[in-house]
């Protein structure tokens, strides 16, 4: 069970998926913020200092890896754990995510209960 006031930022351009994630996470007691692209996500992360960021990899303009690099290179956001989200299961993507500082990698097709378990690892 999440601690009251814990904030999760979802950075994902897929509006339908983000809406489902927001609904499920809010029902689990989290405060949920959402950005539809990396630029917006970085601004929100700096302003709101979320406890965790769920970051999609495949996004237009600024992909998840570029966003992760920017977050980890900023003194205000480098310490926020980031769980990468993707439908891709290739090991090179997982390796790159870890190499750039991601805390974990979640395959979007997995069960939402599993996502909550991932979140609870980093937000307590």
């Amino acid at each position: 069970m999440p601690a009251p006031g814990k904030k999760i930022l979802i950075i994902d351009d897929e509006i339908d998926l983000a809406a489902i994630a927001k609904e499920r996470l809010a029902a689990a007691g989290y405060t949920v913020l959402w950005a539809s692209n990396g630029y917006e996500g970085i601004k929100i992360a700096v302003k709101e200092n979320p406890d965790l960021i769920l970051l999609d990899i495949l996004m237009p303009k600024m992909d998840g890896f570029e966003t992760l690099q920017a977050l980890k290179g900023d003194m205000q956001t480098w310490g926020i754990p980031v769980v990468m989200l993707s439908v891709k299961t290739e090991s090179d993507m997982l390796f790159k995510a870890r190499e750039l500082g991601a805390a974990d990698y979640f395959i979007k097709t997995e069960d939402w209960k599993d996502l909550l378990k991932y979140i609870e690892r980093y937000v307590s």
Side-chain angles (χ1 to χ4, degrees), residues 34-47:
W34 174 66
S36 62
N37 63 65
Y39 297 109
E40 183 184 340
I42 292 165
K43 287 180 188 175
I44 292 171
V46 168
K47 181 181 176 189

Side-chain angles (χ1 to χ4, degrees), residues 78-98:
W78 71 268
I80 301 169
V82 177
V83 174
M84 303 301 287
L85 303 174
S86 184
V87 295
K88 303 281 187 181
T89 60
E90 290 87 13
S91 59
D92 60 323
M93 292 188 90
L94 171 62
F95 179 76
K96 185 173 182 178
R98 291 271 168 89

Side-chain angles (χ1 to χ4, degrees), residues 42-88:
I42 292 165
K43 287 180 188 175
I44 292 171
V46 168
K47 181 181 176 189
E48 297 288 336
N49 191 31
D51 297 288
L52 177 71
I53 297 172
L54 301 176
L55 176 58
D56 185 30
I57 292 176
L58 301 175
M59 294 186 295
K61 297 181 185 173
M62 181 181 214
D63 72 21
F65 293 128
E66 294 167 319
T67 305
L68 178 62
Q69 275 188 294
L71 290 165
K72 293 302 176 183
D74 187 307
M75 292 295 289
Q76 291 182 273
T77 57
W78 71 268
I80 301 169
V82 177
V83 174
M84 303 301 287
L85 303 174
S86 184
V87 295
K88 303 281 187 181

